[in-house]
Amino acid sequence: MDSNILNNLKLTKVAASKIDTFDFENVKFGEKFTDHMLVCEYKNGEWGTLEIKPYAPITLDPSARVFHYGQAIFEGMKAYKEENNDIWMFRPDQNFERFNKSAIRLAMPAIDETRFIGGLKELIKVEKEWVRKGLGNSLYIRPFMIATESGVIASPSNEFLFCILLSPAKSYYAGKIKVQIADYYSRAANGGIGAAKAAGNYSAQFYPTKLAQEAGFNQVIWTDSNHTHLEEAGTMNVFFRINDTLFTAPTSDRILDGVTRKSLIQLGESLGYDIKIESVQVDTILNAAKNGTLKEIFGAGTAAVVNQIEGFSYKDQYYQLPEMADEESYALQLKNALTKLQNKLADDPFNWTVKI
C-alpha cells in the first residue's frame, strides 16, 4: 500500500446522515446506498487523487465513450460486522485481481491495490455504522469503472472514472427458484468477454431472462454456443449434484471466475465432498434427472451466496428435483459453512477474511 495516496485522500462528509431514516429490515437488494461514495479519475495516463464525498449523481458529457462503446466494468463484494463491532471483508484480493483482468480485457487501465482496497477500507471506515451485525446482514460493495472521455470516435477512451458504492443488504433471493436451460440464446462465446465482469454481459442476458420469466421461471441456465454444455445460472456460477458428486464447469473465456464459486469448491473439498471441475453436458443432467440420480442444482454468487434450484425446463419439458432434508443438502451445508465463516461465527482456516 502507498501511504502517500491514502494520506492525500480528500474527504467531504454529508451535512446530515440519512441513516436514522433508513429501513434496514426491508431494504431491497441494491436499491439504497450509504451517505458517501469513493471516486477517482484517470487522466493523462495516470490515476489521480482519491476522494470520498457525499453520494450524488455523476455528470457526464453525452458523448462520453461509456454511452457509445460500452467500456464499463464492475465488481460485487461484501463486508460483515461481528458481535464485537469489528468489520471484515471477504477475499477482497480476489475481486481486485478480477477487476483488473476485466479492465485489461476491455482496454481500460488497471488500478493499483492502494486505490482499490486501501480506498475501500477508508470508505467503509467512514460508513462503519451502515454495516449491521447479525447473520444475513451485510454491506454490499460495488466498485465500478466507466469510460468518460468525450467523443464518438470508435476507439478506447483515455479518461475513466473509478467509483465505489456501498449498499446495506440482506438475502438477495428468497427460497428455491425454477430455471430454464437455454437452447437458443447464449451468454458468451469463445474469445469474447464472458470471463470479464463487464456491463454488456448483463444487458445481453436481460431479454432471454425476461422471456423465461414470462414463461414462469426465475432465471436461465446458460449453455455454450452449441447448447450442449451447461455453464452459468443467471448471474451466478452453477453446481450440479449427481448422487454424492458435485460438478461445476471450469472457468474459461465464457465463464466468470466467481469468488463464491472458488470458495465453495475449496470449502467443499475441506469437508470431504467429491467435487469434479469439468464440462457438464446437458444430456448428462437430463439423464440424471430422468433416472433419479440428480439430487441438487444450485447457483453460487456474491449476492445470493447459494441459491437452491427446485426444478428446470429444457425444450418445454419440466424436471422437478427431489425433495431433500436440509441436513442432507450440499447447497445448504455449504451456504451455512461459508456464511458462518464470512460473519466470523466460525474459524477461517483459509485466511479469507480481512479486517478493516
Side-chain angles (χ1 to χ4, degrees), residues 37-50:
M37 61 184 185
L38 179 139
V39 297
C40 187
E41 293 186 336
Y42 181 90
K43 290 184 177 182
N44 301 316
E46 61 182 13
W47 287 104
T49 301
L50 286 173

Side-chain angles (χ1 to χ4, degrees), residues 183-215:
D183 61 5
Y184 178 77
Y185 294 101
S186 295
R187 174 187 173 274
N190 291 335
I193 60 171
K197 207 160 176 64
N201 286 340
Y202 295 79
S203 61
Q205 295 184 44
F206 291 157
Y207 178 66
T209 301
K210 176 177 178 288
L211 296 179
Q213 290 170 345
E214 289 173 349

